[in-house]
Amino acid sequence: GQIVFNDGDHGESMFIILSGCIEIFKQNKHIAMRGAGDYFGEMAMIEMKPRSASAKALGDSFLFEIGKHSFDKFLGSNPDIIREFLLTISHRCRVDLDIIDSGFLELCKNEERYRTIVETISDIVLQIDPDGLIDFANSSVSFLGYTPQELKGQPLQSIISEKGDSLMEDLLTKRVGPRATSDVEVMFKVKEDCAIYEFMQEVSFLVNAHGLWDVRNDLVIKKGYNKNFLGTLCIARDHTQRKKSEEEA
């Protein structure tokens, strides 16, 4: 668990693993494993730029650190060493590209699958950015007379009844899991040119909302993890008929 170096650190040195295992990661996301006989951190030494990823030891590990001065003096003039460097870096690039290609294809398939689900459900789905602006809306907003395109970039308050101003903290929650917002009644405004505007200017919805982060939910509440808040996901279900039935009962 000991950190060898962190993403963004400066250091003109590389490491050769004599024994043990090293994990290379970035923002808590696994990138690669390095074992005995491998080396890592060489790009910071060659380019003399901040390190692009972090490294930590998994279990007992022994490392041999080589600074830029030592490399230039003893290894840099050895063509065999330089060739091995180039071969290793080339291999890593090819492996990374293969992973990126396969991951990209899988991501496209998953995105298409989830987008189909989101666009076919009757619930309104809204993704709100950290500034409270609508970043995504599914086609179900057409029930209220809006289009997803016209809502993009608009504040969430623009489609919420003024009576719902006190609920904005709950709707723009950063919380996840059991602490997230659940079944909050919110009145959504109906657009004036909508077909139902003649009968109702506001529609009651039950809204569930939870924070979106760049780490898993179980890591959000843990201290010491680097995490970035990406916004809030709101899912609203039409509550009008159920509310009417309850009132009549």
Side-chain angles (χ1 to χ4, degrees):
Q2 181 178 340
I3 301 296
V4 181
F5 53 74
N6 284 306
D7 170 16
D9 285 352
H10 288 268
E12 298 177 3
S13 62
M14 59 174 285
F15 298 84
I16 295 177
I17 305 173
L18 302 181
S19 67
C21 190
I22 298 294
E23 180 185 16
I24 310 298
F25 64 97
K26 186 179 181 69
Q27 296 182 350
N28 300 308
K29 294 183 176 64
H30 173 83
I31 296 177
M33 304 292 290
R34 301 282 184 256
D38 291 333
Y39 60 84
F40 64 97
E42 74 282 351
M43 296 310 296
M45 182 184 69
I46 295 173
E47 296 182 328
M48 292 179 287
K49 294 180 179 179
R51 300 189 186 275
S52 59
S54 304
K56 68 179 177 182
L58 301 180
D60 293 332
S61 301
F62 294 90
L63 308 177
F64 179 53
E65 183 174 2
I66 302 176
K68 186 177 187 305
H69 175 73
S70 298
F71 180 84
D72 290 343
K73 183 176 181 180
F74 300 106
L75 304 176
S77 59
N78 188 325
D80 291 335
I81 295 293
I82 299 300
R83 183 174 182 275
E84 287 300 319
F85 257 79
L86 294 175
L87 288 174
T88 301
I89 294 173
S90 176
H91 173 71
R92 288 181 187 173
C93 289
R94 290 179 183 276
V95 170
D96 290 345
L97 287 174
D98 288 342
I99 293 174
I100 291 172
D101 285 344
S102 61
F104 178 74
L105 291 175
E106 185 63 27
L107 181 63
C108 288
K109 292 179 181 178
N110 289 336
E111 182 179 2
E112 183 63 29
R113 185 182 303 120
Y114 294 137
R115 182 173 292 277
T116 299
I117 294 173
V118 168
E119 291 296 349
T120 54
I121 62 175
S122 59
D123 295 352
I124 291 177
V125 179
L126 301 172
Q127 184 174 335
I128 317 299
D129 71 15
D131 296 322
L133 304 179
I134 298 173
D135 190 47
F136 169 82
N138 70 340
S139 58
S140 293
V141 295
S142 61
F143 172 68
L144 300 173
Y146 304 101
T147 65
Q149 292 75 20
E150 70 177 300
L151 290 183
K152 186 175 177 63
Q154 297 298 314
L156 180 61
Q157 292 98 317
S158 64
I159 60 172
I160 301 295
S161 167
E162 294 180 359
K163 299 176 182 177
D165 287 347
S166 61
L167 300 174
M168 292 310 298
E169 184 176 350
D170 292 327
L171 297 179
L172 299 177
T173 183
K174 293 183 178 182
R175 296 180 174 182
V176 298
R179 301 172 67 245
T181 300
S182 178
D183 290 338
V184 173
E185 184 176 355
V186 180
M187 300 300 291
F188 279 75
K189 297 177 183 178
V190 177
K191 195 175 179 181
E192 291 187 7
D193 58 0
C194 180
I196 66 171
Y197 185 81
E198 180 181 352
F199 310 101
M200 59 180 72
Q201 288 75 54
E202 296 178 346
V203 179
S204 174
F205 283 83
L206 286 181
V207 178
N208 293 327
H210 66 88
L212 298 173
W213 297 79
D214 62 349
V215 297
R216 300 194 315 267
N217 285 354
D218 60 312
L219 299 179
V220 172
I221 60 175
K222 289 189 176 182
K223 296 181 179 180
Y225 278 90
N226 293 324
K227 49 186 177 287
N228 296 305
F229 178 60
L230 304 178
T232 305
L233 181 67
C234 295
I235 301 178
R237 175 162 295 178
D238 186 359
H239 184 51
T240 307
Q241 291 300 324
R242 179 179 173 182
K243 184 177 181 181
K244 183 178 179 181
S245 299
E246 291 175 351
E247 291 174 350
E248 291 176 349

